[in-house]
Amino acid sequence: MSRTTFFEVEVLDGRTRQQLCFLDKVEPHATIGEIKSLFHKSYQQLYPARQDLKLDPKGKSLRDDDVLQNLPVGTTATIYFKDLGPQVGWTMVFLAEYIGPLFIYLLFYFRAPYIYSHQDAFTSSPYSVVTLACACHTCHYIKRLIETIFVHRFSHGTMPLRTIVRNCVYYWAFSAWLAFYINHPLYTPPSYGDMQVNYALAIFVLCELGNFSIHVALNNLKAEGGPKCRKFPHPTKNPFTWLFFFVSCPNYTYEVGAWASFSVMTQCLPVALFTFLAFIQMTIWAKGKHKTYSREFKDYPHLRMPIIPLLL
């Protein structure tokens, strides 16, 4: 009958190297997530989501599902701790980011007092494109809120509170900036009139439907495989998902397409700048996702590009 060999885990402050906690008789099959829970008992304010544990202060963070006996440590393990600060769940992150632009834009559309001149308060624009732009912007963020609540499947991951504040400032400020110009009393419609607006509107609607379809497909993939099952997405019977034949992240492709068409529809420079910055960020995310897929799956389609078919 074999005897179980228990581990001793010493938790040190990653910055000062001061011992914070010493855990005795830790099961060899214990995960890092379970060690975080044990550490939390000694420091009630440092709940697991705030903890970043590493084997080396400058090394990679340990995953919650890493098993202690599988790590390159002896029976006495030294782990370094870093406080990530207050954390907020991903659902609340996205709700905070999206609710702000939704209502901020409407304040400018209805020309609330003190935004423009006194005589322009609660007046409306004579141009139909302004109303269309408001409808598109509102529907876009309502769609995002619906996806956040009913479609997206979030893990127990969190985001630092300070990062949420930065993201909200970015989204809210850009929303106010572009809304200020589109709803300004001196705003003029696009150069090519209704033709430019209608074509851009059609592309916007298609891209929004495509983006929603991709999110539903990704959600269904997670539901089928479960959190532990790793699969890469494939096109389905929905034609909007056929973009998976050509790119790894068609949700970003459709998102950029929606904002690009919104830029053409409104012919507004702040919208174009927001679209350009969003394209840069989403390209970075798409390349990272594409690289992960290519590394994990040997049968991953070679034709696929990260975000733009056949190009990027």
Side-chain angles (χ1 to χ4, degrees):
M1 184 174 181
S2 60
R3 295 176 58 187
T4 301
T5 301
F6 292 99
F7 280 65
E8 295 177 339
V9 179
E10 181 184 31
V11 182
L12 304 182
D13 187 297
R15 184 172 55 86
T16 65
R17 307 297 192 271
Q18 178 183 356
Q19 186 185 86
L20 299 177
C21 182
F22 186 84
L23 304 175
D24 191 19
K25 293 186 177 181
V26 179
E27 292 281 350
H29 296 287
T31 63
I32 293 299
E34 291 170 342
I35 291 175
K36 287 182 178 181
S37 298
L38 293 173
F39 182 74
H40 177 224
K41 292 180 180 180
S42 300
Y43 297 88
Q44 290 297 314
Q45 75 277 17
L46 299 176
Y47 45 89
R50 288 188 65 159
Q51 302 174 32
D52 181 26
L53 300 183
K54 302 178 180 181
L55 295 179
D56 184 273
K58 297 181 180 179
K60 293 183 178 180
S61 300
L62 297 171
R63 301 192 310 269
D64 284 352
D65 58 354
D66 284 336
V67 178
L68 185 59
Q69 69 175 1
N70 295 336
L71 297 175
V73 296
T75 54
T76 301
T78 300
I79 295 179
Y80 297 90
F81 162 82
K82 179 183 177 182
D83 182 9
L84 297 176
Q87 303 286 304
V88 178
W90 280 106
T91 299
M92 289 304 301
V93 169
F94 287 121
L95 289 177
E97 289 178 355
Y98 300 155
I99 287 176
L102 176 64
F103 289 103
I104 288 173
Y105 193 99
L106 292 175
L107 288 176
F108 286 87
Y109 175 74
F110 291 109
R111 295 179 179 173
Y114 307 110
I115 294 179
Y116 303 113
S117 61
H118 178 70
Q119 61 267 27
D120 292 316
F122 295 116
T123 60
S124 58
S125 172
Y127 304 117
S128 60
V129 64
V130 174
T131 301
L132 277 176
C134 180
C136 289
H137 189 275
T138 301
C139 289
H140 174 77
Y141 281 100
I142 288 178
K143 178 186 77 69
R144 284 192 168 189
L145 290 171
I146 291 174
E147 290 172 341
T148 299
I149 298 172
F150 300 107
V151 177
H152 293 314
R153 289 177 179 268
F154 299 105
S155 64
H156 296 295
T158 58
M159 177 182 283
L161 183 60
R162 58 181 179 274
T163 305
I164 299 173
V165 174
R166 182 191 65 196
N167 288 3
C168 286
V169 169
Y170 172 79
Y171 280 106
W172 296 18
F174 253 115
S175 179
W177 190 33
L178 60 89
F180 176 82
Y181 284 99
I182 296 174
N183 298 287
H184 199 283
L186 299 179
Y187 172 80
T188 55
S191 303
Y192 294 97
D194 290 342
M195 181 181 69
Q196 179 176 338
V197 172
N198 293 335
Y199 277 116
L201 176 62
I203 295 174
F204 178 87
V205 172
L206 289 175
C207 287
E208 288 292 294
L209 290 173
N211 182 265
F212 181 78
S213 298
I214 297 300
H215 286 157
V216 171
L218 292 173
N219 175 68
N220 292 338
L221 182 67
K222 292 180 180 179
E224 292 172 4
K228 297 292 185 180
C229 183
R230 294 290 295 168
K231 296 181 180 179
F232 64 86
H234 293 274
T236 67
K237 294 180 180 180
N238 183 342
F240 286 110
T241 67
W242 294 353
L243 198 54
F244 272 124
F245 283 119
F246 305 102
V247 296
S248 297
C249 301
N251 50 322
Y252 295 150
T253 309
Y254 283 124
E255 182 78 8
V256 172
W259 281 108
S261 61
F262 191 72
S263 302
V264 173
M265 181 198 307
T266 58
Q267 198 169 297
C268 181
L269 183 59
V271 182
L273 178 60
F274 177 78
T275 303
F276 177 70
L277 294 177
F279 171 68
I280 292 175
Q281 181 60 70
M282 283 186 274
T283 299
I284 294 172
W285 290 336
K287 284 185 174 181
K289 195 71 172 178
H290 180 78
K291 185 177 180 180
T292 300
Y293 283 147
S294 301
R295 183 177 62 249
E296 290 190 7
F297 303 103
K298 295 181 179 179
D299 58 339
Y300 194 70
H302 297 291
L303 182 63
R304 290 191 189 181
M305 300 297 287
I307 188 169
I308 300 180
L310 307 177
L311 293 176
L312 181 66

